[in-house]
Amino acid sequence: QYLIGAHVTLMTAAGKELASVDCHGSWVLFQLPSGNYKVSASLLDHPDQPIESARFSPPRSGQMRVVLEFSGVPPNQ
């Protein structure tokens, strides 16, 4: 189940911040050139939860999905 309400930050692998948004839905979409990136998120309604992050490299064409899991939040929260 996807959670809603997160602060999401997208950075290059070198640490340059590209975007920092509050997302009140369960998806954030980016159109990115090839490269290495890091995405991190914290839950707006659960500040006690740690920040989760993932590193990824988008494909040359098409889409990919990066899912961050917050294991300490029960379903339907």
Side-chain angles (χ1 to χ4, degrees):
Q1 177 172 334
Y2 294 115
L3 300 172
I4 61 171
H7 181 77
V8 179
T9 303
L10 175 69
M11 299 180 357
T12 65
K16 179 182 176 188
E17 186 175 297
L18 301 175
S20 184
V21 298
D22 283 344
C23 177
H24 296 284
S26 56
W27 294 84
V28 178
L29 304 175
F30 295 106
Q31 185 174 6
L32 300 169
S34 295
N36 297 310
Y37 299 91
K38 178 182 178 184
V39 64
S40 60
S42 60
L43 297 176
L44 298 173
D45 291 339
H46 298 276
D48 56 317
Q49 290 296 305
I51 294 172
E52 297 295 334
S53 64
R55 296 186 182 276
F56 67 98
S57 298
R60 291 185 192 268
S61 64
Q63 301 176 2
M64 76 175 297
R65 178 174 42 187
V66 177
V67 178
L68 301 178
E69 294 186 21
F70 294 87
S71 59
V73 179
N76 299 317
Q77 297 296 311

